[in-house]
Amino acid sequence: MKNLLFIACCLFTEIVLAQDVSLALQKKPNTSPTQLAVQWSKVSANTNVSFASSSKRFAQELPPEIKLNDTWTASAWKGEKVHTQILIWSKADLTHVTVEVSDLKNAKGELIKKDNISTGFLQYVMTDEFRNGCGYRKPQDFDSSKVADIINVDIKSMQVQKNMTQPVWVSVKVPTNVSPGLYSGTVTLNADKKYALKVALTVVDKTLPPPSEWAYRLDFWQHPYAIARVHKLEPWSDAHFAMMRKYYTMLADAGQKIVTTSIVNEPWGHQTYDDFPSLIKWTKKKDGSWTYDYSLFDKYVAFVMSCGINKQINCYSMVPWKIAFTYNDEAAGKEAVFTQAIGTPAYNEFWTPMLTDFTRHLKDKGWFGITTIAMDERPMPAMQSVIKLLKTIDPNWKVSLAGDYHAEIENDIFDYCVASRWKYPADVLQKRKQQNKLSTWYTCCAEKYPNAFTFSPPDEMVWMGWYTAATGMDGYLRWAYNSWPKSPSTDSRFTAWPAGDTFQVYPGALSSVRLEKIIEGIQDFEKIRLLRKEYQSKQQTAQLSKLEAALKTFEIKDLASETAEETVAKAKSLLNEF
């Protein structure tokens, strides 16, 4: 999903296929080798280990400017996942750094077992800068650097070179069946010696529901072909599905609700590095009739649902970025392309048999009620034509739209996702809630902040959850979950948009700082939702007023003068005050 003002001038197919990015690190002017040496000369101890905030990204080549801290103090609800970082930096080579965790124990001897604690060495990838956001970019024209983003839980030991900083990500998933109170334990880094760091986790007597029950409407668009490409697997083979399960289960655990499906070839005009073919095979028979093979569509949707993503199926799209619908023409014995404009009689004649048959098929599968025809940043006249056609096929068809706010068609959109520069009118939002319609928002390459690029401050992703709660919206959409560039494990840059714009996870089903922070924001949204309900039912007006006052500080314009980290820090403590 890209901003129309920038996309019109770009021929994305040629651009993406010609992608060729350099992996060279371009140091910023204030970090020359001489200045780096001066920075490291100021480090007193040979090897240093310390907890550090998960809200900051630490440069690999610089010693961190933090106060040494050997204790992590945190609070969490039952069912919540919390995280921190440990940094190790040394003036000598460390050849075999490993991490060990202990059980966390309370005063009664009850445990949060170490199986609930995960650690992962953070890996660095190339990133760039926002500059003008959307539009064709050459790596040499942008200030590029390395940034810690990949959380690699598969690496069991790490070599840390001298004069380098290595972060370790630590997460604790609090079980729902533990007693409230203080739990203590250790995280030990084995390097040139053992460094035992203390964990003091207070479990609050509140319970967060599992992700499958979260109200937050998370919509990260999935890209199955990208998984096949990076793992060198035959698309739709058993091995491909087995590999996809790792990614989709992780996405379900983040609270994803929606299955992304393509019902035509390249619904986004091949803006992605990898192909995005249709899950439905269209065939025009020799007698002029049509058949539609749904076998792959059915298999894929059922598979994604089996991973826990089962609330909605979004079908892209009757209004693709390029009006070119491919199908198999039996009479001609080859693939053909339909290119007539949306809204014309020929367009309606082309789509009517498909929609009629697709409606029947979805009803047979029991999926019609949760399926939408989805559109992404398309002109309003085109959307009006499509909506009109859909309603003639079946008045109960649902429509999803991500784009600008249009009052003229708002009532016809079941799942409406507006760009961050828009807000729903208060009366419209209230009406939509009463009608059980979904009202969400998105960011893309056009917004400098808040966003989820690899160079974005981590707490901007937490901020998004609070902003969703503050505005009364239902969730957040992002292009995309895993539309990877050529070499995502080393280089998050892309040919057209800021680095990291098209993905939130890494090959190997590895999470990122960005995804973990997005989950943190969603957890906060759920806590806010539950606290609002509790305060209202118990008439705890003072607590409710404090919470609502904190939410009013979440305005996008204010990020120009106060960081997301500062705003979130001021508000977060309210979620654990009882």
Side-chain angles (χ1 to χ4, degrees):
M1 164 192 313
K2 306 295 144 204
N3 187 283
L4 288 170
L5 295 177
F6 295 91
I7 296 305
C9 63
C10 299
L11 299 175
F12 283 104
T13 301
E14 290 81 356
I15 291 172
V16 206
L17 293 177
Q19 184 184 45
D20 180 20
V21 292
S22 168
L23 298 182
L25 171 61
Q26 302 171 33
K27 289 190 176 67
K28 296 181 180 180
N30 61 348
T31 55
S32 67
T34 300
Q35 291 170 319
L36 288 173
V38 171
Q39 292 281 353
W40 282 99
S41 69
K42 297 177 182 178
V43 176
S44 55
N46 204 43
T47 301
N48 299 271
V49 176
S50 177
F51 281 116
S53 171
S54 67
S55 300
K56 297 184 182 299
R57 298 185 185 274
F58 293 91
Q60 186 179 36
E61 70 274 15
L62 289 170
E65 297 180 0
I66 61 171
K67 183 178 180 180
L68 288 174
N69 178 19
D70 67 356
T71 303
W72 175 38
T73 302
S75 297
W77 287 23
K78 290 180 279 187
E80 183 180 2
K81 180 166 65 171
V82 291
H83 40 242
T84 189
Q85 291 187 88
I86 296 173
L87 302 181
I88 180 168
W89 64 104
S90 178
K91 293 194 284 186
D93 288 331
L94 303 172
T95 59
H96 189 68
V97 177
T98 61
V99 185
E100 300 174 18
V101 298
S102 73
D103 296 332
L104 305 182
K105 184 185 296 186
N106 69 8
K108 298 179 182 179
E110 298 171 326
L111 300 179
I112 296 176
K113 293 185 178 180
K114 60 184 179 181
D115 293 346
N116 297 288
I117 306 171
S118 67
T119 63
F121 289 100
L122 282 180
Q123 289 182 266
Y124 287 79
V125 296
M126 292 298 300
T127 190
D128 53 23
E129 59 181 335
F130 182 75
R131 190 79 68 82
N132 296 322
C134 311
Y136 176 64
R137 50 177 60 199
K138 296 180 180 179
Q140 60 267 30
D141 294 336
F142 289 78
D143 189 7
S144 298
S145 60
K146 289 185 178 180
V147 64
D149 196 49
I150 305 174
I151 302 173
N152 198 326
V153 296
D154 295 334
I155 296 176
K156 302 308 177 186
S157 68
M158 175 71 77
Q159 179 178 352
V160 180
Q161 296 179 354
K162 67 178 181 179
N163 294 352
M164 290 288 177
T165 295
Q166 176 60 55
V168 178
W169 193 263
V170 181
S171 292
V172 180
K173 181 64 182 292
V174 181
T176 57
N177 60 351
V178 298
S179 302
L182 177 63
Y183 290 77
S184 301
T186 58
V187 180
T188 302
L189 260 71
N190 303 301
D192 53 344
K193 64 177 183 178
K194 290 184 179 291
Y195 297 85
L197 306 178
K198 298 182 284 292
V199 176
L201 177 64
T202 299
V203 176
V204 176
D205 194 15
K206 296 285 181 184
T207 302
L208 198 66
S212 60
E213 298 177 15
W214 289 350
Y216 196 93
R217 205 77 174 186
L218 180 67
D219 186 9
F220 281 168
W221 295 351
Q222 308 104 52
H223 196 160
Y225 286 87
I227 295 173
R229 188 257 303 179
V230 300
H231 292 285
K232 297 180 172 62
L233 300 172
E234 181 68 25
W236 312 121
S237 63
D238 290 345
H240 183 204
F241 276 100
M243 184 60 67
M244 284 195 294
R245 186 168 295 279
K246 299 178 182 179
Y247 292 92
Y248 288 40
T249 301
M250 183 164 69
L251 182 56
D253 288 341
Q256 176 75 14
K257 300 295 190 293
I258 300 171
V259 185
T260 308
T261 66
S262 52
I263 61 172
V264 299
N265 283 335
E266 300 299 342
W268 293 281
H270 214 306
Q271 296 182 47
T272 53
Y273 184 83
D274 294 289
D275 294 342
F276 221 124
S278 175
L279 294 169
I280 299 173
K281 184 178 180 180
W282 299 47
T283 300
K284 188 175 184 179
K285 308 291 285 184
K286 291 181 179 178
D287 63 3
S289 64
W290 288 88
T291 62
Y292 308 94
D293 184 351
Y294 304 111
S295 55
L296 181 54
F297 177 88
D298 293 348
K299 184 177 181 179
Y300 178 71
V301 170
F303 163 77
V304 179
M305 287 183 169
S306 76
C307 297
I309 302 170
N310 53 21
K311 299 298 183 184
Q312 189 171 315
I313 306 165
N314 282 4
C315 300
Y316 293 91
S317 172
M318 290 178 64
V319 192
W321 281 74
K322 181 180 180 181
I323 306 304
F325 301 108
T326 59
Y327 61 93
N328 178 40
D329 188 336
E330 277 193 351
K334 61 180 181 180
E335 185 178 85
V337 183
F338 178 86
T339 58
Q340 295 298 307
I342 294 168
T344 62
Y347 175 91
N348 292 346
E349 183 179 346
F350 178 80
W351 272 97
T352 294
M354 190 279 174
L355 290 172
T356 302
D357 194 66
F358 194 33
T359 302
R360 173 201 57 78
H361 180 74
L362 290 169
K363 289 181 177 179
D364 289 346
K365 298 292 295 184
W367 294 342
F368 181 72
I370 62 169
T371 300
T372 78
I373 293 295
M375 293 171 281
D376 168 31
E377 292 184 338
R378 301 292 76 206
M380 190 175 69
M383 293 183 290
Q384 288 173 316
S385 295
V386 166
I387 292 168
K388 182 179 179 180
L389 176 59
L390 276 171
K391 298 304 182 181
T392 65
I393 303 298
D394 192 306
N396 294 315
W397 258 111
K398 293 184 175 71
V399 176
S400 291
L401 170 64
D404 290 341
Y405 179 76
H406 300 287
E408 298 89 339
I409 60 173
E410 173 275 317
N411 192 54
D412 296 313
I413 308 298
F414 166 73
D415 178 1
Y416 206 157
C417 183
V418 297
S420 67
R421 62 183 176 273
W422 292 96
K423 281 188 178 180
Y424 296 93
D427 60 329
V428 170
L429 193 59
Q430 182 180 7
K431 180 197 68 175
R432 292 182 62 81
K433 288 183 181 297
Q434 293 169 348
Q435 296 173 339
N436 293 318
K437 293 178 179 177
L438 299 171
S439 309
T440 62
W441 67 293
Y442 72 90
T443 58
C444 64
C445 59
E447 293 91 353
K448 184 175 184 179
Y449 53 77
N451 224 313
F453 306 124
T454 43
F455 55 79
S456 297
D459 274 1
E460 284 190 11
M461 284 124 259
V462 184
W463 191 99
M464 292 174 185
W466 283 81
Y467 179 74
T468 308
T471 55
M473 291 187 284
D474 300 311
Y476 173 75
L477 178 152
R478 194 71 175 79
W479 155 300
Y481 180 57
N482 66 310
S483 285
W484 291 309
K486 183 178 181 180
S487 305
S489 296
T490 53
D491 195 336
S492 68
R493 297 174 295 178
F494 197 54
T495 55
W497 313 305
D501 183 56
T502 62
F503 67 99
Q504 300 296 315
V505 294
Y506 288 87
L510 298 177
S511 187
S512 66
V513 172
R514 293 174 292 149
L515 180 62
E516 295 305 310
K517 282 293 185 176
I518 285 168
I519 294 171
E520 180 182 337
I522 296 172
Q523 290 181 150
D524 286 352
F525 173 95
E526 293 298 315
K527 292 164 80 171
I528 292 165
R529 177 178 64 85
L530 293 171
L531 289 176
R532 276 172 158 166
K533 185 176 179 180
E534 178 182 334
Y535 293 157
Q536 289 167 357
S537 65
K538 294 181 179 179
Q539 297 185 336
Q540 294 175 311
T541 55
Q543 291 93 325
L544 182 60
S545 295
K546 285 176 64 178
L547 182 58
E548 297 297 343
L551 287 166
K552 289 180 180 178
T553 65
F554 287 83
E555 289 281 354
I556 291 177
K557 61 180 178 59
D558 293 339
L559 287 173
S561 56
E562 181 175 81
T563 66
E565 180 182 356
E566 292 168 328
T567 308
V568 168
K570 291 175 183 177
K572 245 185 186 297
S573 62
L574 296 176
L575 302 183
N576 295 328
E577 282 186 0
F578 304 103

